């Protein structure tokens, strides 16, 4: 009986294995030696697909970007620009919070990553179509990335310990319930994200009405 063949090595297999390592153990766990061992191949065979560890991590980051929903930015979708931004931000954060260890790589920006560039292109294009000047559309894309990636880099609620004695009211008179935050992490972090996102979008809406629409009114008067 013939021996079963090993699955062919591919970029997809490498990225999937590297992504699982990053999720489980962090960025430091990824090395070409470790990946080769996990994949059951020789180390040099990885170089047929990636030049080095950094390229592998870039590919892992791009695979996460590819999980972000961009359908709300399709011209035929019909959502208002602010609603589209909101829905996209929620999808983007969900992808990042599912893979928090890769966020520092994503936070560097899309570089040459195809999925990351599609995200940037979709946001910018939708804002320009909505009437935002190109410069403002660029600022919006940047501030949204700052806000979303920043929210995924850490948890506010997890920053407090589950120990009431750590928050002596004599020293911290307003932190009497702080030891309860860790148990409510998901609710607090999601609530904080939604609160900040709404405030950000409300501020942009004011700029849009006074700036973009104001210019339209002046031009048509």
């Amino acid at each position: 009986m013939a021996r079963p063949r090993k699955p062919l090595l591919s970029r997809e297999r490498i990225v999937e294995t590297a992504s699982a390592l990053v999720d489980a153990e962090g960025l430091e766990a990824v090395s070409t030696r470790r990946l080769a061992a996990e994949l059951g191949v020789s180390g040099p065979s990885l170089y047929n697909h990636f030049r080095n560890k950094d390229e592998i991590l870039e590919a892992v980051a791009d695979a996460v970007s590819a999980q972000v929903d961009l359908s709300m930015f399709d011209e035929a979708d019909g959502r208002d620009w602010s609603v589209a931004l909101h829905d996209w931000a929620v999808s983007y954060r969900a992808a990042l919070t599912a893979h928090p260890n890769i966020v520092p790589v994503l936070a560097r920006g899309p570089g040459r990553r195809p999925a990351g560039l599609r995200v940037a292109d979709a946001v910018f294009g939708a804002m320009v179509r909505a009437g935002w000047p190109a410069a403002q559309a660029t600022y919006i894309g940047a501030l949204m990335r700052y806000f979303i990636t920043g929210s995924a880099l850490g948890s506010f609620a997890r920053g407090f310990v589950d120990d009431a004695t750590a928050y002596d009211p004599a020293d911290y008179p307003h932190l009497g319930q702080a030891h309860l935050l860790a148990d409510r992490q998901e609710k607090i972090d999601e609530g904080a994200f939604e609160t900040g996102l709404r405030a950000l979008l409300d501020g942009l809406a004011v700029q849009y009405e006074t700036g973009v629409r104001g210019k339209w009114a002046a031009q048509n008067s």
Side-chain angles (χ1 to χ4, degrees):
M1 181 181 292
R3 290 183 178 180
R5 296 177 61 189
K6 290 183 179 179
L8 292 175
L9 188 62
S10 64
R11 287 180 63 91
E12 290 74 20
R13 281 192 67 212
I14 296 170
V15 171
E16 287 175 3
T17 302
S19 181
L21 276 176
V22 171
D23 286 347
E25 302 179 34
L27 297 173
E28 297 75 14
V30 179
S31 68
T32 53
R33 178 178 296 182
R34 176 75 183 277
L35 281 174
E38 294 284 337
L39 290 161
V41 300
S42 62
S45 62
L46 296 177
Y47 298 118
N48 293 325
H49 302 278
F50 295 97
R51 289 182 297 179
N52 50 46
K53 169 184 171 177
D54 287 343
E55 280 197 356
I56 295 171
L57 291 177
E58 288 288 314
V60 170
D62 210 40
V64 173
S65 293
Q67 298 172 20
V68 181
D69 183 13
L70 299 176
S71 63
M72 65 286 296
F73 295 129
D74 292 343
E75 291 189 56
D77 182 85
R79 268 173 272 194
D80 179 75
W81 66 267
S82 62
V83 175
L85 272 183
H86 174 276
D87 295 348
W88 164 72
V90 171
S91 175
Y92 194 178
R93 180 177 180 271
L96 298 191
T97 53
H99 306 280
N101 291 335
I102 199 64
V103 173
V105 179
L106 282 160
R108 297 199 292 257
R112 298 176 181 271
R113 298 193 299 266
L117 289 170
R118 282 193 290 273
V119 171
D121 182 72
V123 175
F124 179 82
M127 296 305 100
V128 170
R129 284 198 307 274
W132 287 97
Q136 288 297 119
T138 301
Y139 301 155
I140 291 170
L143 73 88
M144 293 298 290
R145 184 166 69 83
Y146 298 154
F147 177 68
I148 298 165
T149 56
S151 74
L153 279 172
S155 165
F156 175 82
R158 274 207 310 264
F160 295 86
V161 298
D162 184 15
D163 179 4
T165 64
Y167 308 105
D168 188 329
D171 297 320
Y172 315 108
H174 306 295
L175 295 182
Q177 301 296 308
H179 65 287
L180 302 175
L181 295 179
D183 285 340
R184 303 171 185 175
Q185 174 200 336
E186 184 174 350
K187 180 178 181 180
I188 292 170
D189 290 346
E190 288 186 359
F193 178 78
E194 185 65 25
T195 299
L197 180 59
R198 289 290 181 186
L200 189 157
L201 293 174
D202 286 348
L204 286 177
V206 172
Q207 291 187 33
Y208 186 79
E209 291 298 323
T210 59
V212 177
R213 286 195 179 276
K215 290 180 180 178
W216 289 345
Q219 290 171 357
N220 294 325
S221 61

